[in-house]
Amino acid sequence: MNTVVLGLQWGDEGKGKAIDYLAGGFDAVVRFQGGHNAGHTVYYRGRKVVLHLLPSGIFYPDCLAVIAHGVVVQPLQLVEEIRNARALGLRLDNLVLSANAPLILPFHQRLDVVFEDSRYQRIGTTRRGIGPAYEDVVGRRALFVGDLLDEPGFRSKIAVLAEYYNRLLAAWGQPAEALEPAASAYLAAGEFLRPMVGDSGACLRRALRERRKILFEGAQGSLLDIHLGTYPFVTSSNTTIAGVFSGTGLSPKAVDRVIGISKAYATRVGEGPFPTELGGKEGERLRELGNEYGATTGRPRRVGWLDLVALRHAVQVNGVDSLFLTKLDVLDGLDEVRAAVAYESGGGRSEDFPCLAGALSGVRPVFRSFPGWRTKLGGLRRIAELPAPARAYLDFVAEFTGARIGHLSVGTEREQTIEIQD
């Protein structure tokens, strides 16, 4: 079955491990949105590998690994990532990079910093140029991966953009961005990438005709979707299921199943409302137990209890068929585990999730408490082996969200995963 795997929280749900675990059963794995602000952590032959743009299919030589046109690409970073992957012994002969993927240019990265520092309200971006690159797409002035393969054309187009952006930088009191050596470095990256560049849409449509199984892997999380997330504290792409179709050129008929990834608790990086956030020693303990530091930025993640109101919202928006719940083992040894089941505000009590940040900032979570467990879950491989309190917690999560739990992660290694049959 063609399957979409999406994060259902604010990102960092453990999608890297989940996708890596699932990818072996597919003929193609596709990244369809986001940029190198995302970080998927995978353990390969005992080594920790952080993927930013490369799909998890690179670990399977017979699996097509596709970076589709919905992804914004910083070519220098992608070249470095490819070289690092090859140093691990991966050939990457199976990689396809869309010629129509928009480029992240040095101007974008400069302006991302300027805009973030000048906002009346900080968003907490990774300052990697993602937002300004997507703005160029909407503004109909973007350059694309395919432009790197035509040196005269690229130099002509980027010169026009340089004039535009340097005026903008000057308006903010910033020095101009020099075209050289950046343009030459980008063109060199284009030559390196040339053998991998192609028509990703045609490639995927051919795979469908040949009845090959496709896994679509999302970046970030559903609550960061530009339209359906906690605006303005969101990313600049569609992180929900809608991004699959606009980001690949395939129709909704291409998808048979949706798997949603969620931690057994909640985390968030950057600014924005977080109703179940824990502070002080309680929050610090959970952060250390879960090693909650950004795979891409190294920033400490904000941590809190699982927000079932938000999780149910993400399940419904994405049409999730089953949950892949991660990091349940992080809760080992706690006397009590809690989850939010409603919000209270001046308007009373509600079980609906308000997307706009202003509305969400004004709510107080209503918690349900569950007894903790002392059993170490990392060595367990069957659902029947879980202690009763852990089973009760999982049963409630499934009942509240309306999505069954199909997979359960109890550790960082691929084999520390429990599959739960219907």
Side-chain angles (χ1 to χ4, degrees), residues 221-257:
S222 293
L223 302 183
L224 295 176
D225 186 277
I226 186 66
H227 292 122
L228 297 168
T230 51
Y231 193 91
F233 302 101
V234 292
T235 193
S236 299
S237 60
N238 288 117
T239 59
T240 52
I241 194 169
V244 174
F245 314 116
S246 62
T248 64
L250 300 181
S251 84
K253 294 179 181 179
V255 173
D256 302 307
R257 177 178 62 169

Side-chain angles (χ1 to χ4, degrees), residues 4 96 136 140 157 182 187 270 281 312 343 347 371 383 395 399 405-406:
V4 179
V96 176
D136 267 9
R140 294 170 291 187
K157 291 175 182 178
L187 287 165
K281 292 183 178 179
R312 180 168 62 187
Y343 298 143
I383 191 68
D395 289 345
E399 179 184 359
I405 298 175

